[in-house]
Amino acid sequence: QWSVKNPGEFWSRAWDDNQVIGSKGSTFFTQGSDFISSHFFPEASLNVAENLLAHGDPNEIAIVSILETGVRTEITWAELRNKVAATAAAMRAEGVVAGDRVVAWVPNITETIIYALGALSIGAVVSTASPDFAPHAVEDRFGQVEPKIFLAADGYNYNGKYFDCTDKSAEIEKLLPTLVKTIRVSQFESWIAPFIGAEANFARLPFDHPGFVLFSSGTTGKPKCITHSGAGVMLKAQSELLYQFNITKGSKVFFFTTCGWMMWNWLTMALGRGATIVLFDGAPMAPTPSRLFDIAQDEKLDFFGVSAKFIDSAHKEGLVPAKSHDLSTIKTIGSTGS
């Protein structure tokens, strides 16, 4: 009740408790005549990527990526910062400036997060989709935002099958006439390689500067394009991670998601708590129904996030993970609604 009655004071405290880097200003909330005309932190300036990269120790692991095939990779905070700075420099070399849109049609892998953080460093706006979206479904979304750069999947594994995305990504490219550059995931490292060693350069922007475009599901006509303040998404997610879930530096956070779902954005924000985020790309029950519980056990997760549908499926499979697995590290299980 106090937080609802005193939104300025509450969010000012959330800013401080999350150790947000930037200038907060002396006004935290101005009440307008409605939701849209009300403003949080109207005097603030900050950069979302700078904040998400600020808290992890250089040699600790920032991101673990696991594919359905069993391939597991990890990246340290030092490597992540280095690659984000290089990505931002590569984007600037293509003419990307604050307010431009960059998009990705990709699996849930480390490169996607590096790409998004590079864009946010500049103040570019990020929109992501999953490679199981057909080309015209991608056009319905990305066509509305007129993107400059496109990160495209080469392919992905799902439920024991490999899906080649080469032809579809070429088709999507033709459907997006505003593009100046397309990078395949397999080309990502070579694209940023000339810029490795570039100094981190974070543009400090207003609090309500757009950071992400997400879309409604498209069940009632074309998907609706919804623009979110980057800092607003960050502060909201980080306050949940801190107050509701007690995620601290070194916590291991997992959420089963694709890049076509807002839980991907939420998971990315856990980096700002100094947490290690664990990505998984593939079918949640392949090759065995216990796959996600295996990951929870092997990675010693603190936070285990799944969908209501997954919980229902696990129940139908007769899984009893409390007996079959050592899940003693898990402090919180998160489920989406359904």
Side-chain angles (χ1 to χ4, degrees):
Q1 188 175 20
W2 171 82
S3 69
V4 172
K5 278 187 178 166
N6 305 280
E9 197 181 335
F10 173 79
W11 288 106
S12 168
R13 287 208 196 173
W15 176 300
D16 295 344
D17 289 346
N18 280 290
Q19 298 173 304
V20 173
I21 297 164
S23 165
K24 186 163 67 163
S26 56
T27 305
F28 312 136
F29 179 68
T30 55
Q31 180 76 58
S33 58
D34 58 12
F35 177 74
I36 296 295
S37 61
S38 300
H39 290 281
F40 287 95
F41 303 105
E43 302 158 359
S45 76
L46 70 161
N47 184 277
V48 172
E50 182 179 11
N51 277 279
L52 295 182
L53 293 169
H55 300 295
D57 294 335
N59 297 323
E60 295 295 325
I61 302 302
I63 305 172
V64 174
S65 170
I66 300 166
L67 305 181
E68 188 185 286
T69 55
V71 173
R72 180 189 182 279
T73 54
E74 51 187 41
I75 184 170
T76 65
W77 284 97
E79 291 169 321
L80 179 61
R81 289 173 185 128
N82 204 5
K83 287 186 176 182
V84 168
T87 303
M91 286 182 177
R92 284 190 179 99
E94 297 294 346
V96 174
V97 297
D100 281 343
R101 279 77 57 207
V102 307
V103 295
W105 176 71
V106 279
N108 181 20
I109 52 175
T110 306
E111 287 86 347
T112 312
I113 297 205
I114 295 169
Y115 176 82
L117 291 174
L120 291 166
S121 303
I122 300 169
V125 185
V126 178
S127 195
T128 57
S130 165
D132 58 342
F133 287 14
H136 282 289
V138 177
E139 181 195 17
D140 284 348
R141 289 165 172 80
F142 293 168
Q144 298 184 58
V145 302
E146 301 180 331
K148 214 173 219 181
I149 299 193
F150 175 44
L151 180 64
D154 298 277
Y156 64 97
N157 287 280
Y158 195 86
N159 217 10
K161 286 192 195 134
Y162 179 74
F163 296 86
D164 188 314
C165 293
T166 313
D167 293 345
K168 284 181 180 174
S169 64
E171 191 181 336
I172 292 166
E173 218 176 327
K174 289 191 185 118
L175 295 169
L176 300 174
T178 57
L179 291 177
V180 298
K181 181 82 175 172
T182 296
I183 308 106
R184 302 262 184 282
V185 168
S186 58
Q187 301 165 331
F188 186 78
E189 289 288 335
S190 58
W191 178 53
I192 66 169
F195 302 94
I196 290 288
E199 204 172 322
N201 184 349
F202 300 109
R204 294 271 176 102
L205 300 152
F207 189 84
D208 61 2
H209 182 81
F212 300 100
V213 174
L214 285 83
F215 295 89
S216 65
S217 60
T219 47
T220 55
K222 277 194 180 179
K224 314 294 185 297
C225 170
I226 306 160
T227 306
H228 295 264
S229 143
V233 169
M234 180 183 80
L235 191 55
K236 177 70 180 77
Q238 286 195 0
S239 64
E240 286 175 15
L241 288 154
L242 172 60
Y243 300 141
Q244 272 78 21
F245 302 131
N246 196 29
I247 300 300
T248 54
K249 195 171 170 180
S251 294
K252 291 189 172 173
V253 180
F254 170 85
F255 217 106
F256 174 67
T257 184
T258 70
C259 296
W261 194 25
M262 52 73 59
M263 292 316 305
W264 176 84
N265 305 72
W266 186 91
L267 181 60
T268 302
M269 294 299 148
L271 290 170
R273 296 288 316 139
T276 300
I277 61 172
V278 179
L279 314 178
F280 174 71
D281 192 78
M285 294 194 160
T288 63
S290 67
R291 182 66 188 273
L292 298 191
F293 298 114
D294 299 344
I295 289 170
Q297 174 179 276
D298 297 345
E299 300 296 333
K300 297 183 168 55
L301 299 178
D302 293 276
F303 181 96
F304 180 67
V306 288
S307 63
K309 186 179 178 186
F310 172 79
I311 292 173
D312 191 44
S313 301
H315 177 63
K316 284 178 177 155
E317 286 285 342
L319 300 181
V320 188
K323 290 184 178 166
S324 58
H325 291 69
D326 174 8
L327 303 177
S328 56
T329 60
I330 294 181
K331 300 173 183 74
T332 312
I333 298 173
S335 171
T336 53
S338 178

